[in-house]
Amino acid sequence: MTLKKKILIGYGVSFALMGLVIAWAVTNLVSLGKATDAILSENYRSIIAAENMVDVLERQDSAVLLILLGDAGTGIAQFRENEAVFFEWLARAKDNITIHGEAELVQSIEADYATYRKRFSALTDLRETGRATQEPTYYQETVYPLFAKVREVCIGLRNLNEETMYSASVRAGKVAQRAIWSTVLVAASALIVALMFSLFLAERIVRPIRRFMEASRKISSGDYTVQVPVETGDELGRLAGEFNQMANQLGRYHEMNIEQIISEKNKGEAILSSIEDGLVVFDTKLKATGINPAARRLLDLKFAESATLHCMDILPDPNVCDLVRKTVETGVQPTIPDEQRIITVSEGERARHYLFSVTAIRGRDRNLSGIVLLLRDVTRLKEVERLKNEFVMAASHELRTPLTSLGMSVDLLMEHSAQGLAEKDRELLQAAHEEVHRMKALVNDLLDLSKIEAGRIELEFESVSVPTLFAHVKAVFKSQMDMKEVPLTTELTGELPKVRADANKITWVLTNLISNALRYVSKGGHISLMAHRIGPNVHLSVRDDGPGIPSEYQSKIFQKFVQVKGQEAGGSGLGLAICKEIVRAHGGAIWVESSAGRGSTFTFTLPAQ
């Protein structure tokens, strides 16, 4: 018998027992329903009819008293009106005769009520013939006794049905109690049988699985001679045979490849030892499982066992360990700029700089098994960059004075001598004037960028309103927008808080972004200033519908002297780099979203107050 059939038989037995319990419960519910319907149909309707006949009789008796009191018109009308109602309830009582003795009572009510009606007619005849003095005596001796008799019979009909309904209710209670106990007994018996059968079937299925688990543990410990006994012919028995064959093949494979594995391990360790960059391998608990010699030297670690070292014990920068932890938690390395991937290690009076990268190690099943931290020495590159920045700053300072003098000289020539020059000479003088001013702007941008990169920028932080910033920028560009016929609109989403920023520096960033957009947007285009809050930051954006930025430039557009090929429009290539440094100094980030031919959106963040 196959494993599938065994499981199906187990489910079949359980379902059969469940069906038995359900059928028994339904049978009991039907019995209770019948008892309840009997009470309703046999007794309750007759009780209602008897009650209403008593009420009608009492209203008719009141009508007779009205006649005796002198209000004959109202009394007769009331009697006749209730007469029809009495016959209606009497008919219902006749239609619902279901118990012994009820028919005789209904016939008695019908006969006595007919006599009662005749006596009422005789009473009205006495009044019409003028014998009013005989009316009270006639009522007391003839009419009232019939009224009392009919009323007593109606009450008897009601009491008979009430007693019968009570007896039926007692019988229904006994049926309900018997149904409850019988259902509980059947359900308990079915549950015990199902439980015993389930335990038996589960043991038959689980016992081979336990043997598989024990054999797997032995194989994991290196015992490839283990065998699982084959006791059945179902899927588990066939699986045991396949498992035994696999264990034999693993044993042969282990014997054949142990030397090759050791050789490959030694080769890998030799390669790691020869790498000049530092390599540290962490497991998913952030414990170091491997450190190459270069990493031991730069982290000043002894050549000892490293399995007990934690990430925080060997790395001086806690941000690196946080990055490793995030990579373990998410399985993906967080994207951070290159300038934030530098850690500094002090070596006496000197400091060495290392560029780090984090890579996830995955097994065959794509599960994360570890993290590799690469440390590359970039001290020499940082020194070269520092010297370059100092050279640029010194050269810019030295160039500023002669450029100022040259600019003043060209301006004086244009003011006093341009009229006496030939047309071609004036064009050359105008070109010299424009190039001098462009060089002065380039030198100023270089000086500003050098100050920002050197950390010498002075920021005056204050609470700034975003709508105020936008209004100021719009006022600055109003004439230029009107001249080029390009509207500048603002879109403020939600209730924006104030931001913590240097208003002048952020205004410079916005004007630079708008100036770039205006440079590339054609006549009739559109530029938007947008702001909305996301979490603790406020996002400010400048969107245009210009030619856009190709994807290959978007990752490096904020670097120095980078301009999109074919879109150079006289800029120095430093504006976006300065924007980036100013935003970073505010603790924010800046990026671009663009596609060729569909415009661009430059966005940067500022902390909300």
Side-chain angles (χ1 to χ4, degrees), residues 298-316:
L298 65 91
L299 296 174
D300 193 22
L301 297 175
K302 297 180 180 179
F303 287 82
E305 182 64 32
S306 60
T308 59
L309 293 177
H310 195 270
C311 179
M312 298 296 294
D313 299 329
I314 60 178
L315 292 175

Side-chain angles (χ1 to χ4, degrees), residues 145-432:
L146 279 174
F147 158 74
K149 183 179 180 181
V150 175
R151 184 174 179 274
E152 288 299 325
V153 176
C154 290
I155 293 174
L157 177 64
R158 182 190 64 186
N159 293 337
L160 176 63
N161 280 275
E162 285 179 348
E163 292 172 358
T164 306
M165 185 171 68
Y166 176 75
S167 300
S169 176
V170 172
R171 290 196 302 272
K174 293 180 180 180
V175 171
Q177 188 174 9
R178 186 170 60 253
I180 292 172
W181 284 109
S182 61
T183 303
V184 169
L185 180 61
V186 172
S189 302
L191 180 62
I192 292 173
V193 173
L195 181 61
M196 294 176 61
F197 186 81
S198 299
L199 292 175
F200 172 75
L201 183 62
E203 178 63 25
R204 289 292 302 272
I205 295 174
V206 171
R207 183 170 55 196
I209 296 176
R210 291 199 193 100
R211 292 173 179 170
F212 282 122
M213 294 172 60
E214 181 65 27
S216 298
R217 282 194 290 268
K218 291 181 179 180
I219 290 177
S220 299
S221 62
D223 183 7
Y224 297 99
T225 61
V226 65
Q227 293 289 301
V228 177
V230 180
E231 297 179 347
T232 60
D234 57 12
E235 290 88 348
L236 290 175
R238 293 194 293 272
L239 178 60
E242 296 292 336
F243 185 89
N244 294 335
Q245 185 179 357
M246 179 196 69
N248 292 330
Q249 291 180 354
L250 282 174
R252 290 194 295 269
Y253 180 79
H254 176 74
E255 293 173 358
M256 289 188 301
N257 293 295
I258 187 65
E259 293 183 359
Q260 182 180 355
I261 294 172
I262 294 174
S263 175
E264 292 295 330
K265 180 176 181 296
N266 293 333
K267 186 188 297 183
E269 291 179 352
I271 293 173
L272 291 177
S273 299
S274 63
I275 295 176
E276 295 183 358
D277 295 331
L279 285 174
V280 183
V281 181
F282 297 100
D283 60 13
T284 55
K285 296 182 180 179
L286 271 66
K287 288 188 177 181
T289 58
I291 306 176
N292 73 337
R296 291 183 182 277
R297 286 193 298 271
L298 65 91
L299 296 174
D300 193 22
L301 297 175
K302 297 180 180 179
F303 287 82
E305 182 64 32
S306 60
T308 59
L309 293 177
H310 195 270
C311 179
M312 298 296 294
D313 299 329
I314 60 178
L315 292 175
D317 191 345
N319 293 328
V320 180
C321 292
D322 291 339
L323 180 62
V324 174
R325 183 180 296 104
K326 290 180 181 178
T327 306
V328 170
E329 292 173 354
T330 61
V332 180
Q333 176 187 350
T335 302
I336 57 175
D338 289 343
E339 58 269 14
Q340 296 182 16
R341 292 169 49 206
I342 303 293
I343 62 174
T344 302
V345 178
S346 299
E347 294 183 358
E349 296 181 356
R350 295 183 57 190
R352 301 197 68 84
H353 306 281
Y354 298 94
L355 177 68
F356 69 88
S357 62
V358 178
T359 306
I361 305 174
R362 299 187 181 276
R364 291 184 179 180
D365 54 357
R366 304 300 299 167
N367 290 332
L368 187 71
S369 59
I371 301 293
V372 175
L373 175 66
L374 174 66
L375 299 172
R376 179 170 297 172
D377 191 349
V378 293
T379 304
R380 184 172 178 275
L381 295 177
K382 293 287 289 184
E383 184 66 19
V384 170
E385 184 179 5
R386 185 184 64 80
L387 294 174
K388 181 194 70 174
N389 291 337
E390 290 180 356
F391 171 76
V392 169
M393 184 177 292
S396 301
H397 274 291
E398 295 298 326
L399 286 173
R400 174 179 280 185
T401 300
L403 281 175
T404 302
S405 300
L406 186 60
M408 292 178 62
S409 301
V410 172
D411 290 342
L412 288 172
L413 285 174
M414 291 186 66
E415 183 179 355
H416 298 290
S417 304
Q419 301 300 326
L421 297 176
E423 182 66 25
K424 182 177 289 187
D425 294 337
R426 283 200 302 273
E427 292 177 357
L428 290 174
L429 188 60
Q430 180 65 32

Side-chain angles (χ1 to χ4, degrees), residues 94-113:
K94 291 171 68 176
D95 292 338
N96 197 51
I97 297 174
T98 57
I99 58 178
H100 178 71
E102 191 173 7
E104 291 78 2
L105 291 174
V106 171
Q107 291 175 1
S108 176
I109 293 172
E110 186 176 12
D112 292 339
Y113 187 72

